[in-house]
Amino acid sequence: MKAKLNLDETGINYWLRSFLHILAFGPSKVVAATVLLTLFLFVPQAWIAWQASRNFNSIIKNELRLQNLSDKITYFDEVLTMSARMNAAISNSTWEQRYRLFEPQLDAAIKESIKLAPQAYTTEDAKNTDAANQRLVAMEYQSFDLVRSGEKEAAQALLSSREYKTEKQKYAAGVTSRNRSISLQLQQKVADYRKQLLWSTFASVVSLVMLIPAWLAVLHLLQGYLKARKIAQAALEKTNQELETTVYKRTQELRKRNMQLQQTLQELQKTQVQLVQTEKMSSLGQMVAGIAHEINNPVSFVYGNLVHTQKYTQDLLKLVELYQQNYPNPPQSIQAEIEATDLDFLSQDFIQLLKSMKIGMQRIQEIVQSLRTFSRLDEAEVKEVDIHEGIDSTLMILQHRLRATHEQPEISVIKEYGLLPPVKCYPGQLNQVFMNILTNAIDAIGDRYLQPTPDTINSNPSFIRIYTVVIAESWVEIHIIDNGSGIPDKILSRLFDPFFTTKPVGKGKGLGLSISYQIVVNKHAGRLYCNSTPEQGTEFVIEIPIAQLQDVHKI
């Protein structure tokens, strides 16, 4: 056994050395040739095995089916013979009906048997058997006719005659011979299958003898390839680790510099926003102050003259009244002129007209005063002011947006002012905060009434509620509440970021609330925050100290 084992190992080593010698022509060619050889040997073997399995299944299936059909044919034949004899014996048509019932089943079984084993039905014996069967059927049909015509004894004699028995024996011998022929045919198929299986087994052994050395060579190649790849992988991992360390260090440095640049950029953006807004407000304040000054002069002139005009008019109307009392019957021309001018109506309406003009001029003076209060150009430093006066001036400027239009209903303003002391602040900048928050509140209410209906307006009228209160004895708190569309939670945290806006392009730049936050928090050392519920409304809360410290004025 030991010597045989060494001999086998020597043979395998010989084949391995041969294949390793072939590797000099190229490992990829060896692998390709081995794969092709495997396919060349395996595919035919698989096809042969599949064919053998198919033949074996066919043999088993046909053998069982033929055996079953043979039993059926014998059974049906006996049933037909018995039915014909019973019909002749008792002259009962039920047995003829039974004969007619089983006769097609016998024919079907014979046809199926012929289909499965056609060779067994082409011999001379098979032809003689078929002829005997035909004669038996003819005699049985004849017995049925005799019974129906009342010749019962003739029918019995026919089925008991020597001729009928002879044909019956011939038919039985033929069936036995046919079954034996079918059995021999199946035995031949089994022998062919065994021969095919033997050749298939031999071919498989030869294929294994050829493929084992080839795949051993391929395995050797794969081992060498995996070893080389493992070495290369180790070197690559080491290089990757070094590279990752370097990249990590550089990433940390870049992240640190990026954070510094981002902070610098944010500071620059805030400074830019503040400078731009300061310049805009300065220009706007100068323009508003100039307009207010230019309007105030003629308004003062007209308003002052209205007082004298009203007095002169009253004197003239009093003189006319005295004249009418002393001269009740004036000349016809004067009477016609009095009727043409409707002197009574003119006397009453002219007084009302002068009163309306006076009220209009007072309204213009209030608007001019609100513009001057809102701009506060002459108050660039910290000054004690009335917070309520600044809120009222802002509401006066926004009065046109609070009135009802075809796009939104009227917005009512609910003022709940507390008793506030004068507050030291930057009045112009604080008024700018009120302007930004109130404008946003009006826009939010407008968004809620994109398609207003009378029911919607009556069930939920629009309003802006402003109330003020002193807290902690040294702070004032201003609440501005609206019942607009509200602010979703996902954007509430970014509300005061520069350039962040949810308004369409061209309607908002995202600077109003950011600037307001800087003014309240940085300029006044206060607090500004927002509470909102979507579809219910928003509340902005401004908290500033009553007295400002000088060192908190610098940004």
Side-chain angles (χ1 to χ4, degrees):
M1 289 295 292
K2 184 66 176 177
K4 186 176 180 180
L5 181 61
N6 291 336
L7 180 61
D8 292 341
E9 291 178 353
T10 303
I12 293 173
N13 290 333
Y14 171 77
W15 280 102
L16 284 175
R17 285 195 299 270
S18 299
F19 274 96
L20 291 176
H21 179 70
I22 296 173
L23 293 181
F25 295 99
S28 59
K29 293 182 179 180
V30 173
V31 175
T34 304
V35 172
L36 290 175
L37 180 61
T38 302
L39 293 175
F40 177 75
L41 296 174
F42 175 76
V43 172
Q45 290 302 314
W47 183 82
I48 292 172
W50 177 75
Q51 284 291 106
S53 175
R54 182 181 178 186
N55 292 338
F56 179 75
N57 291 332
S58 176
I59 291 170
I60 297 300
K61 182 178 179 182
N62 291 343
E63 182 179 6
L64 293 175
R65 185 58 182 166
L66 283 170
Q67 184 65 39
N68 188 23
L69 288 173
S70 178
D71 294 340
K72 281 187 176 182
I73 291 170
T74 302
Y75 169 72
F76 291 148
D77 182 64
E78 293 297 331
V79 170
L80 294 180
T81 300
M82 181 187 69
S83 298
R85 288 179 174 176
M86 289 298 295
N87 182 65
I90 63 176
S91 301
N92 190 340
S93 61
T94 302
W95 292 102
E96 182 179 356
Q97 294 175 0
R98 181 178 175 85
Y99 184 95
R100 303 294 184 185
L101 177 64
F102 281 93
E103 185 180 14
Q105 298 182 32
L106 176 60
D107 293 340
I110 294 173
K111 289 179 181 179
E112 186 177 357
S113 181
I114 293 172
K115 185 177 180 181
L116 294 175
Q119 297 85 354
Y121 288 86
T122 57
T123 62
E124 191 64 27
D125 291 340
K127 294 178 181 179
N128 294 333
T129 302
D130 186 58
N133 182 50
Q134 295 295 327
R135 286 191 290 272
L136 286 172
V137 171
M139 285 188 285
E140 289 166 352
Y141 278 12
Q142 185 180 358
S143 70
F144 292 143
D145 294 337
L146 290 173
V147 171
R148 282 194 297 271
S149 61
E151 300 179 16
K152 176 180 178 182
E153 291 79 4
Q156 292 177 357
L158 177 62
L159 296 180
S160 301
S161 64
R162 174 178 290 277
E163 181 183 1
Y164 183 80
K165 292 180 179 179
T166 302
E167 295 299 331
K168 191 69 177 175
Q169 291 174 355
K170 289 181 181 180
Y171 177 74
V175 170
T176 302
S177 176
R178 184 175 58 202
N179 290 340
R180 186 168 53 252
S181 176
I182 290 173
S183 178
L184 292 174
Q185 180 182 339
L186 291 175
Q187 290 177 5
Q188 182 62 37
K189 287 185 177 180
V190 171
D192 294 341
Y193 168 73
R194 288 176 178 175
K195 186 184 296 184
Q196 187 179 14
L197 184 61
L198 180 62
W199 280 107
S200 176
T201 304
F202 177 74
S204 299
V205 172
V206 173
S207 300
L208 286 175
V209 171
M210 297 178 64
L211 290 175
I212 287 175
W215 280 107
L216 286 175
V218 172
L219 180 61
H220 182 78
L221 280 176
L222 290 176
Q223 288 177 345
Y225 170 75
L226 292 175
K227 184 177 180 181
R229 183 173 180 179
K230 186 175 180 180
I231 295 173
Q233 185 71 21
L236 182 62
E237 289 179 357
K238 183 178 179 180
T239 304
N240 285 339
Q241 289 178 354
E242 295 176 354
L243 182 61
E244 287 178 359
T245 302
T246 304
V247 170
Y248 178 77
K249 292 180 179 179
R250 293 183 179 179
T251 301
Q252 293 298 323
E253 294 177 359
L254 289 174
R255 185 175 299 173
K256 184 177 179 180
R257 293 180 182 178
N258 189 24
M259 291 178 62
Q260 293 174 351
L261 288 174
Q262 191 173 4
Q263 292 176 355
T264 304
L265 179 61
Q266 289 178 353
E267 293 176 359
L268 288 175
Q269 285 180 337
K270 291 180 180 179
T271 304
Q272 181 184 13
V273 169
Q274 185 178 5
L275 289 175
V276 170
Q277 191 64 22
T278 301
E279 184 65 24
K280 286 173 61 178
M281 291 304 298
S282 177
S283 301
L284 178 63
Q286 292 176 3
M287 181 182 68
V288 168
I291 293 173
H293 178 74
E294 293 298 328
I295 293 175
N296 192 51
N297 287 335
V299 166
S300 299
F301 172 76
V302 174
Y303 184 76
N305 289 333
L306 275 176
V307 177
H308 300 292
T309 302
Q310 190 174 18
K311 183 177 181 304
Y312 296 159
T313 301
Q314 290 175 351
D315 293 341
L316 288 174
L317 291 176
K318 185 176 181 181
L319 179 62
V320 171
E321 184 179 356
L322 290 173
Y323 182 82
Q324 288 179 333
Q325 292 176 359
N326 293 315
Y327 299 95
N329 299 313
Q332 185 65 32
S333 59
I334 295 176
Q335 185 66 32
E337 186 66 25
I338 291 174
E339 292 178 356
T341 56
D342 195 358
L343 183 61
D344 293 336
F345 172 77
L346 188 147
S347 300
Q348 296 176 3
D349 190 59
F350 192 57
I351 296 297
Q352 296 298 327
L353 182 64
L354 290 174
K355 289 181 180 180
S356 299
M357 293 172 64
K358 186 176 181 182
I359 292 172
M361 296 309 297
Q362 290 175 347
R363 176 69 173 168
I364 294 174
Q365 285 182 328
E366 290 175 358
I367 293 174
V368 170
Q369 182 61 33
S370 297
L371 290 173
R372 296 181 64 182
T373 302
F374 179 78
S375 62
R376 299 278 189 177
L377 286 179
D378 56 341
E379 300 171 4
E381 297 298 328
V382 175
K383 182 180 179 181
E384 286 188 349
V385 296
D386 184 0
I387 294 293
H388 298 154
E389 183 181 328
I391 297 174
D392 291 338
S393 67
T394 306
L395 290 172
M396 177 68 71
I397 295 172
L398 294 174
Q399 191 65 37
H400 69 287
R401 295 202 59 190
L402 299 173
R403 299 191 187 100
T405 65
H406 66 282
E407 295 180 352
Q408 70 176 32
E410 180 183 3
I411 302 174
S412 61
V413 178
I414 304 171
K415 299 179 183 178
E416 299 176 0
Y417 292 163
L419 297 176
L420 302 186
V423 177
K424 285 188 176 182
C425 62
Y426 294 90
Q429 295 186 15
L430 203 57
N431 290 341
Q432 182 183 351
V433 174
F434 299 150
M435 173 68 75
N436 290 334
I437 296 177
L438 288 170
T439 300
N440 284 342
I442 295 172
D443 291 340
I445 293 174
D447 292 340
R448 186 167 66 92
Y449 288 102
L450 292 177
Q451 294 181 345
T453 61
D455 293 338
T456 304
I457 297 173
N458 294 332
S459 62
N460 191 12
S462 303
F463 69 85
I464 296 176
R465 177 169 167 249
I466 306 172
Y467 77 89
T468 58
V469 65
V470 176
I471 58 173
E473 297 183 356
S474 59
W475 288 71
V476 295
E477 194 173 68
I478 303 104
H479 295 255
I480 301 176
I481 306 168
D482 67 74
N483 64 338
S485 57
I487 303 172
D489 293 337
K490 63 181 180 180
I491 65 173
L492 196 60
S493 60
R494 302 183 59 193
L495 203 59
F496 301 111
D497 292 349
F499 305 106
F500 176 76
T501 180
T502 58
K503 296 181 180 179
V505 177
K507 291 191 176 182
K509 297 180 180 178
L511 296 177
L513 291 179
S514 175
I515 293 172
S516 299
Y517 188 85
Q518 293 183 37
I519 291 173
V520 173
V521 176
N522 297 335
K523 292 288 289 185
H524 292 87
R527 293 183 289 270
L528 174 61
Y529 53 91
C530 174
N531 302 314
S532 182
T533 302
E535 304 303 328
Q536 293 186 17
T538 303
E539 176 188 27
F540 279 91
V541 181
I542 305 168
E543 296 178 0
I544 57 174
I546 295 175
Q548 293 287 318
L549 299 177
Q550 295 300 323
D551 57 350
V552 300
H553 297 159
K554 299 178 182 179
I555 300 178

